[in-house]
Every structure is written in C-alpha cells, then in structure tokens.
Amino acid sequence: TRKLGWTGVDVSAVCLGTMTFGVQCDEAQSHAIIDAYVKRGGNFLDTAEMYPAPASDPRWKPGKTEEIIGTWVAKNKELREKLIIATKVSGFNPNSDTAGNRKVTLGARLDRASILEACEASLKRLQTDYIDILQVHWPDRYVPMFGALNYNPGKERAGSIPIKEQVAAMKELIDAGKIKYYGLSNETTFGLCTWVREADAIGCPRPVSVQQMFCMLVRNFEGDMAEACAQSNYNVALLPWSPLASGILSNKYIGPDGKFLAAEKLPEGCRGALYPKWMTRYRETRVLKSVEEYAKIAKEAGIPFASMALKWCLSRWYATSTIIGATTIEQLNENLDAFEDKGDEPPLPDDVIDKIDKVHMGAMNVCLSVE
C-alpha cells in the first residue's frame, strides 16, 4: 500500500477503474471482478457519475456503473469501511445527458448547487452514507485536455464557475460528513495551485489527489505538476489513468512480427475493435512507432508488454495508485500481477527504464496534439 497524499490513508498501489461496468461488463461480471480485486488485497475503487464509457455505446446509461457498485456494496456491507470509494462529478458539458441523473434538466456544470446535487445522487446510487473521495472529473473553465497540448486563450469561456465556489461546495460536503476528501482530475498546475490557495483561504482541507492521463506515451505530468504534487510541497497523490493507453500498450495489439495490428486484425471484443472512433489519439501513426519500440523492449526483457507498462507506472515516485480496468478475471489478475510486492527489488531493471526513457526522448508525449 501507499499513502494517499497528505491524508495518511493507505491505498493499494493499484486502483480498480470501473468504467466498463454497464457496457462491456454486466452486473454479474462486474461484481465478480470487484470480488477478485478485493480478494487480491485491493481496497481502492474509482468510478464517476457519467460512467460507464464510452457514451457512444448503445448500452450507455449515465450512473449505471455507480448503481452496479452500489448493489455490490449492499451485498458486502462489512467491507465498506475497508474500501476507499472515489467517484467524480462531471465538469463543463452543457449538452450532456449525464446531469439527467441528478435532475430533469440537462447539462453538467460545477456550481455549488450542481456539486451538492451530484454528490447526493452518487451517494444514493452507490448505496453508501459517505464518499471517500469526490473528484472533479474535469474543470469548468477551458483547459486543454484529453489529448490536447497547448493552451489557447481564444477558447477561454465567459461565465466559468470560480474555483473558489467549487472549493466552498467541497468544504460544505466535508463538514456535513457526505465526503471525506476531494480530488481533481484532468487539471493543470495552475488549477491545482488555485484549488490549494482557495482551500487555505477558507480553512478547507486541500485536495488529496489528481487523476491525470499518464503512461509511457504521455509523461507531461513529470515536470511542474510533479513538483507541485511532491511530498515536500502540496503532497497530492497522482492517480494515473489510462496507464495502458486504452490497451494499446499490450500484446493484444502487436502481431508476431512486432508491428501494430491493422484494424481488421484486432482481436474480437477489444476496445479498439469495439470503439474504433474512441480515444483515437492512441492510434495515430506517429504513436504506433513508439508503441512498437516499447513492445520490442518488453520482448527483449522477457516481460509481458502490459506488465512492463504497468510496472513502469509503479516505478514512478509520484504515482500513488495506478488505475487499471478489466473486463475479465483473467485480465484483472494479469494486471494485478504487475503490482506484486517484491520487497526491495525495483519494479523494472535500470536498463529497461533507460531504454524506455530513450524512446521517450526521441518522441516525447507522442499522443498529445497541437490544437
């Protein structure tokens, strides 16, 4: 286990992401995956009010994932206090059906009333009296995210909800015992620092965590954001999401010749085959060259490709709990194996880390795009 930022709370080095629950996994499969994760010693579940994903799946119903977790919690009440359950309130998305989970009107924002309303709805679906970490899924203000790299002042929106108001809403929920902590997601260093400043100004606890897209293909967290989150500064836990780049950093996408498989040859049921228009940033031509080079490093080291990618996250001093997803027990166990504690032995040998760094130096953050 590792400490969750400044809280002193112990969390598993691997967090179970649940966005497939309700689309790729039905309730029975989802419950079996949670059971297996907990049996292996996991204590950290991550979800969101808008899950499952993607919303393009005809089975999508926002809030379904929380409902599935809630029925599991209801059957396992004795385990509730041992688990850290984190969910997310959706950021700026005025045309989304997600907020229909809270009320009849549509459109997600982060004003006080929306945050309180979203929390109440999540509590009901999760069948719990409190949420351990309520996270802001993405900011209300404009920021480059989900694969975008550069900040464009021309895209700034008038009327964005001030972070000051969002912090006050989180304090209100903490004071009421509805949530224990709050966290951020898809944030910038400026945003994190503003949250901390506004929290300090009203005597509210600081954010405990930040979820960022992070894997061997996307390492932009490692600069100023890592400095801000360091134990010596704000002591905020990084929770990497998409550590396998939507499954791309695994052998299922690599052919016998070491090359990335053509679309028509992708394994049946894999995310790339099911949702070819989703998370395409990971399948750009410029990205695939790096993927193939990383796959070669893993093969030469005798390490399963996905395991190497996950162990690389584990090796980062700032990565507290890496979020993994699974659609089968077999896949879950393969992923969990990468996080097995080996005492003083590092997750990956130094020479493998050096080779990974060399590929990165030749094509940094290769799946991010200039807008």
Side-chain angles (χ1 to χ4, degrees), residues 11-18 37 42-47 84 86 135 211 239-240 320-325 332 336 339:
V11 293
S12 313
V14 55
C15 172
L16 181 61
T18 61
Y37 169 75
N43 75 337
F44 196 0
L45 303 180
D46 177 70
T47 188
I84 305 298
Q135 304 157 109
Q211 284 196 26
L239 309 178
T320 299
S321 188
T322 301
I323 303 170
I324 58 109
L332 173 72
L336 292 178
F339 294 89

Side-chain angles (χ1 to χ4, degrees), residues 50-306:
M50 70 164 287
Y51 286 172
S56 61
D57 191 296
R59 296 165 292 185
W60 180 71
K61 175 194 169 188
K64 182 62 177 177
T65 302
E66 286 185 329
E67 291 174 356
I68 288 173
I69 294 172
T71 55
W72 184 90
V73 169
K75 292 192 300 183
N76 296 274
K77 292 180 180 179
E78 74 283 358
L79 296 177
R80 176 62 188 97
E81 291 186 0
K82 299 178 182 178
L83 294 178
I84 305 298
I85 297 180
T87 191
K88 309 182 199 75
V89 52
S90 294
F92 180 86
N93 199 355
N95 299 314
S96 171
D97 293 337
T98 297
N101 285 311
R102 315 174 196 160
K103 56 191 176 194
V104 176
T105 54
L106 302 182
R109 295 300 301 274
L110 287 169
D111 56 284
R112 171 188 174 275
S114 293
I115 291 174
L116 300 187
E117 195 170 42
C119 181
E120 291 292 347
S122 290
L123 285 167
K124 184 176 180 179
R125 286 190 293 268
L126 291 167
Q127 300 193 45
T128 182
D129 296 328
Y130 65 94
I131 292 166
D132 293 279
I133 312 172
L134 181 62
Q135 304 157 109
V136 172
H137 208 154
W138 62 88
D140 193 84
R141 71 189 192 283
Y142 156 73
V143 296
M145 58 184 177
F146 302 134
L149 178 63
N150 56 310
Y151 188 86
N152 182 352
K155 293 187 176 183
E156 292 174 355
R157 295 186 293 265
S160 293
I161 307 301
I163 288 175
K164 180 178 182 178
E165 180 176 341
Q166 299 170 52
V167 170
M170 293 299 185
K171 185 177 188 301
E172 195 172 335
L173 290 170
I174 291 171
D175 291 345
K178 302 278 179 77
I179 67 174
K180 289 189 173 182
Y181 309 103
Y182 68 94
L184 310 175
S185 185
N186 303 300
E187 230 342 327
T188 65
T189 306
F190 168 79
L192 171 62
C193 293
T194 304
W195 274 86
V196 169
R197 185 178 68 250
E198 296 291 3
D200 289 352
I202 64 169
C204 176
R206 294 173 172 182
V208 299
S209 60
V210 59
Q211 284 196 26
Q212 300 293 96
M213 180 170 62
F214 184 77
C215 64
M216 293 189 297
L217 296 169
V218 188
R219 296 173 57 170
N220 54 330
F221 177 90
E222 293 183 308
D224 49 295
M225 193 68 154
E227 178 190 15
C229 291
Q231 289 186 17
S232 54
N233 293 314
Y234 296 149
N235 198 4
V236 172
L238 169 66
L239 309 178
W241 65 264
S242 207
L244 296 179
S246 194
I248 298 302
L249 297 173
S250 69
N251 284 325
K252 73 173 73 172
Y253 289 90
I254 303 297
D257 60 354
K259 300 296 183 182
F260 196 86
L261 292 172
E264 64 273 12
K265 294 185 179 180
L266 293 178
E268 183 179 354
C270 77
R271 199 174 297 169
L274 288 174
Y275 312 115
K277 296 182 180 180
W278 191 43
M279 294 194 181
T280 55
R281 59 181 172 268
Y282 295 128
R283 298 191 292 276
E284 297 285 352
T285 302
R286 67 180 186 278
V287 176
L288 302 187
K289 182 177 184 295
S290 292
V291 172
E292 291 168 357
E293 290 182 26
Y294 287 134
K296 182 180 179 182
I297 293 170
K299 185 175 182 179
E300 291 175 348
I303 305 171
F305 190 12

